[in-house]
Amino acid sequence: MPQKSPTRAHLDTVEKASFLRVLTYAGAIIAFLIGSGFATGQEILQYFTSYGYWGVFGTGLLVLVLMTYVAVEFFVVGQAKKFDRPSRIFHYYCGKHLGTFFDYFSILFVFLSFTVMVAGAGAVFEEHYGMSRYVGGIGLAVVVGISVWFGLKSLVDVIGKIGPVIVVVAIALGLLGIFRNPGGIAEGNALLSGLDLTQASTNWFMAGLSYVGFCMLWLAAFLTALGKTARNRKEASSGALAGSIAFSVACIIVGLGLLANIVRVGGTEIPMLVLAKDVSPVLAAGISVMILAGIYTTAVPLLWTVSSRFFADKTPRFKYLTIALAVVGTVIGLVLPFSQMVNIVYVVNGYVGILLLVLMLVKTGTRLVRRQPL
């Protein structure tokens, strides 16, 4: 009798800790994906809203299914294999030669994505605060470089808690855009053909595949490393499932909010700020901070992924490379306009990511048919 209570209390503690860890993993995924492209609305505008209903719902559902599969796979394989280097995940799915190609290509893409984050921060400072974009870009690089200096464990603790907050705010802003102009969704869909909007592809389906493709190249090494820290397979898969579902739902809601106000937001660098300003300048100020937080939460793991590919976390060489990459990334990120950076870097690399998706599906299918362990 005296032993029952402690045992039960112990089980409750373990279960609670596991649940909190799942939320942390889900938050880390969300925070990673909600970078400058999503938080500003530019990414959603090009990949979802610009195609109308098919883009918002078709692309949204496609992303939901494929992103869930990808996130769970990376997490679970990382938890089971515990690779000495996260980039080994590419060899697991693609073999020696193609795996090596994806290894180096993904690092290049991840680094270029970091430059997009720098461009996004610069655009926010220029468009909303009326300051030089160099202040925003350089400021972001400095803060991110310092964060990565302290390593992955502290990254998960920080970005895992910021991510869910950003999703809630983004969804709320999308809903505000819808409720303030509910008839605007149908009107916006009808007006799309006459608007000169930048699109990610020639049709919504390829845009959706490209979107998942570039997200995969972001997530591969990062989620594999996170999966290694999970205590069991259920914890890893649950965190991945929760994160990918929440992110996909956020994409659909924000996409509808932008569609309802397409005449106002089309052609702008920071569409989300336009929605916020329509409500109140105070809200716009708050949203600008949220956007910068979203950029930060993505830029940190992007820069960490590149540095960790070459040197072990927290070692002197890792830290020196991090600073050097932050400097180079800042220079590149402040050359082109933000919207062009999103369209060029994300779209081109997204198509390469589609090949990785096909190879993953083949590997998973073969494993299931032959009932092979991970």
Side-chain angles (χ1 to χ4, degrees):
M1 190 73 176
Q3 293 180 351
K4 262 189 176 181
S5 182
T7 303
R8 178 59 179 242
H10 173 71
L11 289 174
D12 288 342
T13 301
V14 170
E15 184 178 352
K16 183 178 180 182
S18 176
F19 176 71
L20 291 175
R21 200 62 186 163
V22 166
L23 287 184
T24 300
Y25 286 141
I29 293 172
I30 294 166
F32 195 3
L33 291 173
I34 298 181
S36 63
F38 180 97
T40 60
Q42 188 61 236
E43 184 179 295
I44 301 301
L45 189 62
Q46 293 188 25
Y47 280 90
F48 294 78
T49 306
S50 62
Y51 300 96
Y53 290 141
W54 276 109
V56 174
F57 295 108
T59 304
L61 292 175
L62 183 65
V63 169
L64 172 61
V65 173
L66 294 179
M67 195 72 78
T68 299
Y69 160 71
V70 166
V72 171
E73 269 287 298
F74 285 149
F75 241 120
V76 170
V77 172
Q79 192 276 329
K81 293 295 185 180
K82 296 184 173 22
F83 298 112
D84 57 339
R85 286 207 319 265
S87 59
R88 295 289 186 192
I89 190 71
F90 295 114
H91 294 85
Y92 173 80
Y93 286 113
C94 310
K96 181 180 178 181
H97 299 297
L98 268 179
T100 300
F101 164 75
F102 275 108
D103 183 359
Y104 287 102
F105 182 86
S106 67
I107 289 300
L108 174 62
F109 168 58
V110 166
F111 174 68
L112 290 176
S113 297
F114 169 72
T115 69
V116 175
M117 301 303 123
V118 172
V124 172
F125 270 73
E126 187 173 53
E127 191 162 293
H128 182 70
Y129 297 112
M131 300 172 65
S132 169
R133 60 196 177 99
Y134 293 100
V135 174
I138 293 171
L140 175 77
V142 170
V143 174
V144 170
I146 292 172
S147 299
V148 175
W149 185 281
F150 292 101
L152 180 62
K153 188 177 185 301
S154 55
L155 294 187
V156 177
D157 293 339
V158 173
I159 70 175
K161 292 174 176 60
I162 296 176
V165 176
I166 297 173
V167 164
V168 170
V169 175
I171 289 176
L173 191 56
L175 290 173
L176 270 176
I178 296 170
F179 294 150
R180 284 175 61 84
N181 186 23
I185 295 178
E187 292 172 9
N189 187 68
L191 291 171
L192 280 175
S193 59
L195 299 176
D196 185 21
L197 298 176
T198 301
Q199 294 182 317
S201 184
T202 54
N203 61 79
W204 68 267
F205 185 78
M206 289 307 298
L209 288 181
S210 175
Y211 190 72
V212 174
F214 88 73
C215 286
M216 286 174 61
L217 293 177
W218 271 8
L219 292 171
F222 183 64
L223 291 192
T224 301
L226 283 189
K228 190 176 179 179
T229 67
R231 291 175 299 183
N232 53 64
R233 182 169 179 170
K234 183 178 180 181
E235 191 173 89
S237 59
S238 298
L241 182 65
S244 55
I245 289 176
F247 176 73
S248 301
V249 170
C251 286
I252 293 173
I253 293 176
V254 173
L256 286 173
L258 294 177
L259 183 60
N261 299 271
I262 193 63
V263 176
R264 296 266 298 122
V265 302
T268 61
E269 291 285 297
I270 317 289
M272 294 291 270
L273 276 180
V274 175
L275 294 185
K277 285 177 184 176
D278 286 346
V279 179
S280 127
V282 176
L283 178 62
I287 294 301
S288 69
V289 175
M290 181 209 77
I291 290 172
L292 291 173
I295 293 172
Y296 166 79
T297 60
T298 296
V300 168
L302 286 175
L303 189 57
W304 175 87
T305 298
V306 180
S307 295
S308 66
R309 169 59 183 81
F310 299 100
F311 301 111
D313 198 10
K314 290 188 177 181
T315 60
R317 289 185 176 182
F318 170 89
K319 294 178 178 180
Y320 298 145
L321 178 61
T322 294
I323 300 304
L325 290 172
V327 172
V328 175
T330 302
V331 173
I332 296 174
L334 294 174
V335 172
L336 292 175
F338 173 56
S339 57
Q340 287 185 29
M341 291 284 288
V342 170
N343 193 257
I344 295 171
V345 175
Y346 288 3
V347 173
V348 171
N349 291 281
Y351 286 114
V352 177
I354 293 173
L355 175 59
L356 175 60
L357 175 62
V358 171
L359 294 171
M360 282 182 66
L361 289 169
V362 170
K363 177 75 173 181
T364 304
T366 303
R367 190 179 69 216
L368 292 175
V369 169
R370 297 179 180 177
R371 297 183 180 180
Q372 296 174 331
L374 286 173

